[in-house]
Amino acid sequence: MRPFTYERATDARAAVLAGARPGAKFISGGTNLLDLMKLDVEQPSHLVDISRLPLADIEELPDGGLRIGAQASNSDVAADYRVRDSYPILCQALLAGASGQLRNKASVGGNLVQRTRCPYFYDTAAGCNKRDPGSGCSAVGGYNRIHAILGASDACIATHPSDMAVAMAVLEAQIELLADDRSERCVAITDFHRLPGDTPHIETVLRPGEMITGVSLPPPPPGRQLYRKVRDRASYEFALVSVGTIVSAERGTISGARVAFGAVAHKPWRSFEAEAALIGNPATMATYRAAADAAMREAVGRGDNDFKIELAKRTLCRALAQAIGAEA
């Protein structure tokens, strides 16, 4: 056990001031951070407990959207009637993740900044540029069945594990951030997580001490919302591939579409290529397959994960067929 100090933040301002200290980490539900500390992957010298800050409210916005506080639990968000009615894809994604006990503890803010489940990241004897910059990526030439097929680099091929973030990507959520100088800013979720490049240890655009205070969802777009997750077992398992889609059709023609993939990249992967291939075309399986091919055009397998390319295509086709139907 490495020694560390602990404080319980009394308000958001005090939290970000404490979080700006060298070696400080925010802790909320602790469902990921505590595991990483036990394995000596994370080594904070100071923990700032933000779990009791008044940031758990779910509020309707004047424009018809919804604001979800960063401390709202995954279970509370999934159970909220406004989420179930207007943003069912978010409810579906949350319920597809983890176990009920973990969802009761996990917070919305913590879900967004959880770290990869790459086994080499968790193994301190293995080379991992995300954990130890410059040590190499053991997954590139190792067992990489669960790893990235889009947006990766030779420095890192890990994936982001969140189900919730995929749903928020198609909902075009905005993440609200607070800095220690009291400045506030909003970042689109598609811009929040960084691709690895040569610096895979820098995972988000968060600045030192900056804290997530909430997530704003715009008014729900028209169309059927659907989240589909493919995994090795029926529950309590991270995705091999997941798809979030919002799609609408009029008289057999697709009039609107949003598509995002999970478990294929360092971030929830919004596929504008798939959307362009869908909109204005007939709601047929041929159109779905063309969209899937467009989405995976730049995909690269690393050996054990080659199957994920075809799996991602089939998952998208199945999700679209389920959402709006298909002509045989």
Side-chain angles (χ1 to χ4, degrees), residues 212-235:
I212 300 172
T213 55
V215 176
S216 295
L217 302 177
R224 174 85 183 276
Q225 301 180 20
L226 183 70
Y227 182 75
R228 188 171 184 85
K229 181 177 182 178
V230 179
R231 46 192 165 179
D232 283 323
R233 57 187 180 188
S235 65

Side-chain angles (χ1 to χ4, degrees), residues 26-300:
F26 295 121
I27 184 168
S28 181
T31 57
N32 187 211
L33 178 60
L34 291 179
D35 286 342
L36 294 172
M37 289 175 65
K38 292 173 185 176
L39 294 171
D40 210 27
V41 175
E42 290 272 15
Q43 302 169 3
S45 59
H46 185 63
L47 289 182
V48 182
D49 187 345
I50 58 174
S51 63
R52 292 168 177 82
L53 295 182
L55 298 173
D57 291 340
I58 302 174
E59 306 167 308
E60 296 177 27
L61 296 173
D63 66 355
L66 203 65
R67 183 187 184 276
I68 302 170
Q71 290 304 313
S73 73
N74 288 186
S75 291
D76 286 346
V77 176
D80 188 275
Y81 73 93
R82 293 160 295 188
V83 174
R84 297 199 313 268
D85 290 347
S86 299
Y87 305 96
I89 189 172
L90 180 56
C91 178
Q92 295 164 20
L94 286 167
L95 294 177
S99 64
Q101 295 91 335
L102 287 174
R103 291 195 297 269
N104 289 341
K105 288 291 292 180
S107 66
V108 167
N111 188 302
L112 291 169
V113 296
Q114 65 179 300
R115 307 201 69 186
T116 184
R117 265 45 177 205
C118 171
Y120 297 106
F121 173 71
Y122 277 72
D123 180 2
T124 55
C128 175
N129 290 317
K130 186 179 287 294
R131 186 189 66 248
D132 182 16
S135 63
C137 178
S138 295
V140 169
Y143 183 64
N144 49 42
R145 180 172 180 268
I146 66 171
H147 289 75
I149 54 176
L150 291 167
S153 70
D154 290 337
C156 184
I157 58 172
T159 60
H160 193 268
S162 175
D163 292 289
M164 182 194 77
V166 180
M168 287 190 171
V170 291
L171 291 171
E172 298 184 345
Q174 294 282 325
I175 302 174
E176 301 171 6
L177 307 176
L178 175 67
D180 59 346
D181 61 359
R182 298 188 181 183
S183 62
E184 300 177 8
R185 63 181 179 129
C186 287
V187 177
I189 189 169
T190 49
D191 297 327
F192 180 72
H193 300 96
R194 290 167 47 112
L195 293 179
D198 295 326
T199 56
H201 60 290
I202 305 175
E203 298 177 344
T204 71
V205 298
L206 282 169
R207 298 164 184 163
E210 207 167 31
M211 182 179 71
I212 300 172
T213 55
V215 176
S216 295
L217 302 177
R224 174 85 183 276
Q225 301 180 20
L226 183 70
Y227 182 75
R228 188 171 184 85
K229 181 177 182 178
V230 179
R231 46 192 165 179
D232 283 323
R233 57 187 180 188
S235 65
Y236 196 32
E237 182 65 280
F238 294 101
L240 290 171
V241 167
S242 64
V243 169
T245 185
I246 304 175
V247 62
S248 56
E250 297 177 7
R251 298 180 180 179
T253 298
I254 300 171
S255 55
R258 297 184 188 177
V259 173
F261 290 90
V264 298
H266 261 64
K267 58 192 295 185
W269 192 267
R270 180 79 180 268
S271 181
F272 297 103
E273 297 84 0
E275 294 169 11
L278 289 168
I279 296 173
N281 288 306
T284 65
M285 192 57 72
T287 295
Y288 306 158
R289 185 67 191 192
D293 289 340
M296 293 293 125
R297 191 166 292 131
E298 303 298 324
V300 176

